[in-house]
Amino acid sequence: MRGLYVHIPFCVKKCGYCDFYSLPARLECAESYVQAVIREAYQYGGLSFQTMYLGGGTPSLLGARRLKTLIDGLRKALDLSGLAEATMEVNPESATLELLEAAREAGMNRVSIGVQSLSDCELKSAGRIHTAAQAVEAVRLARALGFGAVSADLIVGLPGQTWPSLRESMEALLRTGIEHLSVYCLSLEEGTPLAKNPPDDLPSDDAQAGLFEEASSFLAGRGLIHYEISNFAVKGRECLHNLNYWRNGEYVGLGPAAASHIGGKRFRNRSDLDAYLEDPTGLAEETEELNARDKACEEAMLRLRLLEEGVGTGDLTTRFGRDNVEALIGRLEQMAARGMLVSDGERYVLPSSRILTSNPIFAEVLSE
């Protein structure tokens, strides 16, 4: 499987916790940006893609006409005839009926809505500009228009958040019939407003962990599978595009700051909108080509994020050769013996008790 990611860097206002490459007050560039993305796409004209994901930023700010121009241009530049899943991120305040209808007409069959919370106080504390009512209406609209899958993002650990308020957000979303939730723990990233001035009512790390564990248990009780560290879905509604990342598949990223993994190489476009508009084909940097041993370690680390699938030693041996995975498999065995992983002798998975403390495990998997 190969995925196509298109980064749309525009936003109305930077959220208090956001450290992604997104730019407020640059929407006047949207027209020329769409044309630049299409120009960049022609570099990959010989490739076919099975998933497509429009992320940001706020892709829904493109509006219906520019969205149609973008998708039409991508279909001319690339082989998208075999798309199984085409996702667009939207924010509730810009998820209009006109936009969502245009997305469906353009062939988008999945929408991911940046809900974050259904408490207006929590939304305001995080710097979000939509209301809970707008979020619920966006979900209702998307479902009414017949998107094959509708997902919502929620954040655990927002200022003032309690278990009753988090539970009510999840209950209200599940009442709409939604079948996929991405549940992220709030991270205070360096340089963001929340990190510079953390509010007094920010839940502690322990309280945040407790909220996440309660959310996981609650969603399991409602029939959603915890299939990846931050993702829950009804069986069969998992996000194919992101599964491709976690299975170490190939992907192409278009736009500034977008990353690619193609032909055995990894690279990222420079985070510079103005340079991108001038020449969208010349911004690749941080190019890296891994050897077979490093690739095996990286694949094992990524697959451990898949809480049910995990990583199989037979799969690794087949893909990379015994000599290249022998040390890695020995390390996985030792980690299982120390309780860091669970194993049946062939497959290794993260224990549920280590989901929120998985980074040291991933680091050890990657170490030689």
Side-chain angles (χ1 to χ4, degrees):
M1 181 178 288
R2 185 182 295 122
L4 175 68
Y5 174 79
V6 184
H7 186 61
I8 310 298
F10 309 113
C11 59
V12 174
K13 176 190 174 188
K14 197 85 168 174
C15 298
Y17 53 83
C18 179
D19 71 335
F20 294 135
Y21 183 68
S22 59
L23 304 166
R26 292 299 304 271
L27 197 56
E28 77 282 354
C29 301
E31 201 79 39
S32 53
Y33 184 77
V34 166
Q35 296 304 319
V37 169
I38 295 169
R39 283 173 57 199
E40 186 187 9
Y42 273 99
Q43 292 186 107
Y44 305 100
L47 298 179
S48 61
F49 297 87
Q50 290 70 53
T51 67
M52 177 169 65
Y53 195 105
L54 273 59
T58 310
S60 45
L61 286 178
L62 285 178
R65 181 182 58 81
R66 285 188 290 250
L67 175 64
K68 182 180 186 303
T69 300
L70 174 62
I71 301 302
D72 287 348
L74 291 174
R75 290 190 184 278
K76 292 176 183 176
L78 305 166
D79 180 3
L80 303 182
S81 61
L83 280 183
E85 179 186 271
T87 302
M88 181 178 183
E89 287 183 352
V90 301
N91 277 357
E93 73 280 356
S94 51
T96 63
L97 175 61
E98 181 187 22
L99 175 88
L100 292 173
E101 284 180 333
R104 287 292 292 126
E105 290 171 6
M108 310 301 288
N109 58 14
R110 186 176 185 274
V111 64
S112 178
I113 303 173
V115 173
Q116 315 311 356
S117 171
L118 288 180
S119 160
D120 285 331
C121 291
E122 292 171 12
L123 290 169
K124 186 176 180 180
S125 73
R128 302 293 292 184
I129 61 174
H130 69 269
T131 65
Q134 286 176 312
V136 172
E137 176 62 10
V139 175
R140 188 197 67 77
L141 264 180
R143 288 186 56 78
L145 287 171
F147 282 89
V150 180
S151 177
D153 289 356
L154 288 175
I155 296 179
V156 171
L158 289 169
Q161 190 177 65
T162 61
W163 169 238
S165 70
L166 176 57
R167 182 182 60 209
E168 174 52 33
S169 290
M170 292 188 294
E171 285 179 338
L173 286 170
L174 292 176
R175 283 196 295 269
T176 70
I178 208 164
E179 297 174 311
H180 189 287
L181 286 172
S182 295
V183 183
Y184 302 105
C185 287
L186 179 68
S187 177
L188 297 184
E189 302 294 342
E190 185 177 352
T192 60
L194 271 182
K196 291 177 181 177
N197 297 291
D200 294 337
D201 57 350
L202 195 70
S204 66
D205 290 346
D206 286 345
Q208 185 187 81
L211 288 170
F212 186 90
E213 288 168 0
E214 289 199 75
S216 177
S217 177
F218 172 84
L219 293 173
R222 297 300 184 91
L224 276 70
I225 297 166
H226 194 178
Y227 74 97
E228 191 274 339
I229 286 176
S230 300
N231 286 273
F232 301 78
V234 172
K235 191 69 174 176
R237 296 296 188 180
E238 300 88 348
C239 177
L240 298 180
H241 184 83
N242 287 337
L243 281 175
N244 182 57
Y245 287 140
W246 299 317
R247 290 169 178 163
N248 206 26
E250 288 195 331
Y251 50 89
V252 167
L254 304 177
S260 298
H261 172 213
I262 196 80
K265 293 183 179 180
R266 296 187 183 281
F267 53 92
R268 180 184 298 274
N269 285 345
R270 183 152 38 101
S271 302
D272 187 332
L273 175 61
D274 293 317
Y276 184 80
L277 292 174
E278 185 174 331
D279 181 10
T281 65
L283 267 67
E285 60 182 10
E286 300 180 26
T287 300
E288 175 184 34
E289 189 163 4
L290 301 178
N291 60 39
R293 289 188 180 184
D294 290 338
K295 286 180 181 177
C297 292
E298 186 172 274
E299 179 154 328
M301 181 272 292
L302 289 169
R303 284 181 174 268
L304 282 172
R305 294 187 65 94
L306 297 172
L307 303 179
E308 290 199 314
E309 289 186 21
V311 58
T313 56
D315 299 335
L316 290 174
T317 302
T318 299
R319 282 175 56 77
F320 301 104
R322 178 164 296 280
D323 289 346
N324 291 316
V325 301
E326 191 171 15
L328 168 61
I329 292 173
R331 197 155 61 249
L332 294 173
E333 290 174 353
Q334 292 172 10
M335 294 169 72
R338 285 152 43 207
M340 300 173 75
L341 298 172
V342 175
S343 173
D344 61 4
E346 156 61 19
R347 189 160 297 275
Y348 295 85
V349 298
L350 275 177
S352 58
S353 61
R354 297 302 300 267
I355 289 173
L356 292 181
T357 55
S358 55
N359 283 343
I361 294 174
F362 295 156
E364 188 163 338
V365 169
L366 291 172
S367 67
E368 285 291 343

